[in-house]
Amino acid sequence: MNRPAPVDMARNPYLSGVFAPQRDEVDVANLPVSGELPPDLHGSYLRNGPNPRFDPIGTYVYPLDGDAMVHRVEIGDGTVRYTNRFVRTPNVVAEEKAGRALWAGITDPYFPPADEVGPDLANTMRELPDINVVRHGGKLFALAEGAPPYTLGSELETLARDTFDGGLPVGLTAHPKVDPHTGEMVAFCYMLEAPYLTWSVIDAAGTVIRPPTPVAGADRPLMIHDMALTSRYIVLILSPCVFQMERIFSGASPLTWLPDLGTRIALIPRDGSPVRWHTTDTFWVWHTANAFDMPNGDVTLDYVEWRYPGGIIESNEPNPGSLTRALISDSGVTRTPFVERTIEFPRVDDRLLTGEHRTVATVGKTGERRIPPGDADALCWFDVVAGTDTTWDAGDYSVGEPVYLSSSSGGPGYWGTIATDRTDMTSRFLIFPAEDPTTGPVAQVQMPIRVPSGLHGAWLPEIS
């Protein structure tokens, strides 16, 4: 098969504007700050995202395509430092030697031959650890949609592809959850062949204590992007986004939306007892906020619900999003929307995972201005107890996922995100007071380069 043509980057909204790839790697200390940098913030904010090392060829499907670039904002003692690095998978290393893209996008059937990339990499797919970044067991991981993660060093240098000493040979997906009470990291992994879906547990030291365990009742290859965790259960939403890999060879997406199948929710007991299955009307979920057990044994789950996976599935049907609460019980699933609006990336204070929470933060769209698909011009905070919500209009800023920044003094903490000004393409790290975030940022850190709009991040408090 002939090498495919370059992607027209100017016409692809996820390769231009605020999404345009950043090819520079920098390390700059003593960044300028507008406002007052909170003295009780000591740690690092990290964020991952797709960022092609070279102009892509064939196809480019955001957010599943694109090499990983990890960004870090270190805060402490009144100063801020910024560092960014590519995650140098064997694919990236080979392309850097060639000076151009060698692998096509995931929906293109072209694979580079041995005379271009050597026998070990010939006819392989590009590795894409570009979705999330997590610290666990003393290691920093860049996570892919479904593969072993890559560990990063203290300067964000790429160390190795990590299978947890062979305990997770296939890997895990990009949204494991860490139980703040036990220190365990619980993960799942979907596959194209039986058993299709497994779950596993890594203890606080980074050792696999439950190897990949098949989820009984998973009967077809489905894309499942995120999970939730309670003290008793892993919560997985199995929407009917089905892999049909043979479609790639006709130039189509390998994912098909089959709404007649309905959506199933699996409650997987963490003690290994039988899975509890529930079926409900068809909907799609990219991201969950949190879940927790009720005293009567029911499970409460907060997430952002969509009619179908927009961006992956082509459809003219309206696709309103909503922050939704599902009550999962033996009698069925009751889904109640808090508000219907275009929002995504729901986050809570990670220290509250598996337990009750009050605040869910998201990105959103105000509807006041025309912005690219996948972009956001607002940050939203939902009080799920009072049933109220507030919004900060970001104006010309393109804002990313809000992450809770815990205070080193035990105070109320902050919310942080990276934002890029669409008028001049400069980027800032914004810090909002958690007590009243809609008053706006108390500090804006000027980034030394433009940071492309990306995906998921984490706050890593300084370890004393």
Side-chain angles (χ1 to χ4, degrees), residues 283-289 301-307 319-326 335-346 360 362-363 382:
F283 65 93
W284 170 256
V285 173
W286 283 111
H287 300 110
T288 67
L301 168 68
D302 288 349
Y303 63 98
V304 175
E305 178 173 315
W306 302 92
R307 290 183 184 173
N319 194 20
S322 61
L323 182 65
T324 299
R325 171 160 287 188
R335 309 194 324 268
T336 305
F338 287 106
V339 62
E340 186 175 288
R341 60 183 296 188
T342 304
I343 57 171
E344 251 306 341
F345 293 168
V360 176
T362 73
V363 300
F382 299 88

Side-chain angles (χ1 to χ4, degrees), residues 210-388:
R210 173 176 283 275
T213 302
V215 177
D219 56 2
R220 52 174 55 91
L222 301 176
M223 180 179 178
I224 309 166
H225 184 65
D226 199 358
M227 61 172 279
L229 189 68
T230 77
S231 59
R232 295 174 57 197
Y233 296 105
I234 300 154
V235 185
L236 288 176
I237 299 175
L238 282 69
S239 297
C241 192
V242 184
F243 281 98
Q244 295 179 338
M245 297 304 294
E246 67 277 6
R247 287 165 51 90
I248 289 180
F249 296 98
S250 62
S253 168
L255 290 165
T256 305
W257 184 243
L258 302 177
D260 290 345
L261 294 177
T263 290
R264 297 197 297 163
I265 300 177
L267 297 183
I268 306 170
R270 293 171 64 176
D271 64 7
S273 52
V275 180
R276 295 170 53 189
W277 284 101
H278 303 269
T279 301
T280 184
D281 298 337
T282 299
F283 65 93
W284 170 256
V285 173
W286 283 111
H287 300 110
T288 67
N290 188 32
F292 55 90
D293 298 307
M294 303 292 287
N296 64 357
D298 296 347
V299 170
T300 295
L301 168 68
D302 288 349
Y303 63 98
V304 175
E305 178 173 315
W306 302 92
R307 290 183 184 173
Y308 59 89
I312 300 296
I313 303 300
E314 297 296 331
S315 174
N316 293 323
E317 180 187 358
N319 194 20
S322 61
L323 182 65
T324 299
R325 171 160 287 188
L327 182 64
I328 308 165
S329 67
D330 289 337
S331 59
V333 180
T334 302
R335 309 194 324 268
T336 305
F338 287 106
V339 62
E340 186 175 288
R341 60 183 296 188
T342 304
I343 57 171
E344 251 306 341
F345 293 168
R347 294 294 297 262
V348 301
D349 177 349
D350 287 343
R351 299 173 302 175
L352 302 179
L353 291 176
T354 75
E356 294 191 46
H357 59 276
R358 180 163 193 143
T359 301
V360 176
T362 73
V363 300
K365 293 188 177 183
T366 63
E368 297 297 320
R369 53 190 65 86
R370 293 185 64 182
I371 59 176
D375 198 357
D377 64 350
L379 295 174
C380 312
W381 289 270
F382 299 88
D383 185 327
V384 297
V385 176
T388 59

Side-chain angles (χ1 to χ4, degrees), residues 171-225:
L172 64 159
T173 46
H175 287 283
K177 294 293 187 284
V178 177
D179 186 328
H181 305 288
T182 66
E184 294 174 338
M185 184 166 74
V186 182
F188 72 100
C189 189
Y190 61 78
M191 294 160 287
L192 300 178
E193 298 177 348
Y196 301 119
L197 185 61
T198 63
W199 65 284
S200 53
V201 182
I202 303 100
D203 69 12
T207 301
V208 175
I209 58 174
R210 173 176 283 275
T213 302
V215 177
D219 56 2
R220 52 174 55 91
L222 301 176
M223 180 179 178
I224 309 166
H225 184 65

Side-chain angles (χ1 to χ4, degrees), residues 74-126:
E74 296 176 88
I75 303 174
D77 300 323
T79 65
V80 186
R81 174 190 175 195
Y82 168 80
T83 310
N84 69 319
R85 293 289 184 270
F86 280 101
V87 179
R88 285 187 161 80
T89 65
N91 314 95
V92 171
V93 172
E95 291 184 334
E96 288 182 330
K97 289 180 180 178
R100 58 184 173 87
L102 301 174
W103 277 264
I106 62 170
T107 62
D108 192 295
Y110 172 82
F111 301 101
D115 59 359
E116 277 198 297
V117 297
D120 292 340
L121 294 178
N123 301 309
T124 62
M125 296 186 70
R126 180 190 298 274

Side-chain angles (χ1 to χ4, degrees), residues 366 369 371 376-378 392-399 421-422:
T366 63
R369 53 190 65 86
I371 59 176
D377 64 350
W392 180 71
D393 186 334
D396 289 327
Y397 280 152
S398 166
V399 289
D421 190 325
R422 298 184 196 88

